[in-house]
């Protein structure tokens, strides 16, 4: 299923431009990549596009809600086109790999804070940290299986 990026842009009153379409396509095919990766992916299609243009596109798409920006503690910001479902992420402590994790408790989890201090809460961010399968395999290949902290 190919999302209709042109319709998505029009729906949020953004002009349809080739860099915007290229960024959306890059993020659809490569979720959770950082800005530098987006730039190189977009340049495969549009060699002349500048760093600044890609930054601007990412900011516009994020502000419009077409792209979700995730920023795990200590990692560079990543972007994805899977928005609006409040899914979570699992992040590898070793290599920074990120994967999607569907809601654990159903729709809009954790939005009912035990004490919201009067805030109107609209988002709850849950990040699972661990070791990805690749890093775990590398670990066992190169090191004796000693206990980790
Ligand atoms: Zn890893
Ligand atoms: Zn995601």
């Amino acid at each position: 299923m190919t999302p209709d990026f042109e319709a998505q842009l029009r729906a949020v009153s953004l002009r349809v431009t080739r860099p915007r379409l290229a960024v959306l396509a890059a993020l659809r095919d490569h979720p959770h990549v950082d800005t530098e990766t987006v730039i190189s992916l977009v340049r495969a299609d549009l060699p002349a596009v500048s760093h600044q243009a890609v930054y601007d596109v990412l900011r516009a798409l994020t502000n419009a809600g077409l792209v979700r920006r995730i920023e795990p503690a200590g990692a560079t910001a990543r972007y994805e086109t899977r928005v609006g479902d409040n899914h979570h992420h699992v992040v590898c402590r070793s290599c920074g790999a990120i994967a999607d994790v569907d809601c654990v408790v159903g729709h809009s989890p954790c939005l009912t804070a035990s004490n919201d201090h009067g805030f109107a809460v609209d988002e709850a961010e849950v990040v699972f940290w661990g070791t990805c399968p690749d890093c775990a395999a590398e670990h066992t290949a190169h090191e004796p299986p000693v206990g980790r902290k």
Side-chain angles (χ1 to χ4, degrees):
M1 191 186 83
T2 305
D4 186 343
F5 295 137
E6 296 193 19
Q8 287 185 14
L9 287 167
R10 289 197 195 94
V12 294
S13 306
L14 284 178
R15 223 155 35 84
V16 176
T17 65
R18 292 194 63 197
R20 283 173 179 166
L21 294 175
V23 167
L24 285 169
L27 289 176
R28 176 199 55 203
D29 296 340
H30 305 269
H32 314 125
V33 290
D34 61 12
T35 306
E36 291 304 314
T37 308
V38 174
I39 290 170
S40 54
L41 289 167
V42 168
R43 282 190 171 161
D45 265 352
L46 304 171
V49 82
S50 69
H51 274 69
Q52 190 58 46
V54 174
Y55 285 121
D56 291 346
V57 167
L58 283 170
R59 183 158 5 94
L61 295 178
T62 304
N63 289 343
L66 295 184
V67 164
R68 177 171 164 189
R69 174 189 164 106
I70 49 175
E71 211 165 2
T76 52
R78 315 291 186 89
Y79 297 88
E80 65 183 338
T81 52
R82 185 177 164 183
V83 296
D85 65 352
N86 207 39
H87 71 273
H88 309 311
H89 293 102
V90 57
V91 184
C92 176
R93 288 187 194 282
S94 299
C95 71
I98 298 182
D100 285 337
V101 179
D102 287 336
C103 280
V104 180
V105 294
H107 210 63
S108 300
C110 310
L111 289 184
T112 311
S114 52
N115 179 353
D116 64 14
H117 299 277
F119 287 50
V121 176
D122 59 26
E123 184 176 353
E125 196 169 72
V126 179
V127 178
F128 302 92
W129 294 90
T131 305
C132 76
D134 287 349
C135 288
E138 200 162 300
H139 228 260
T140 47
H142 296 310
E143 290 174 32
V146 290
R148 270 181 272 147
K149 67 171 164 106

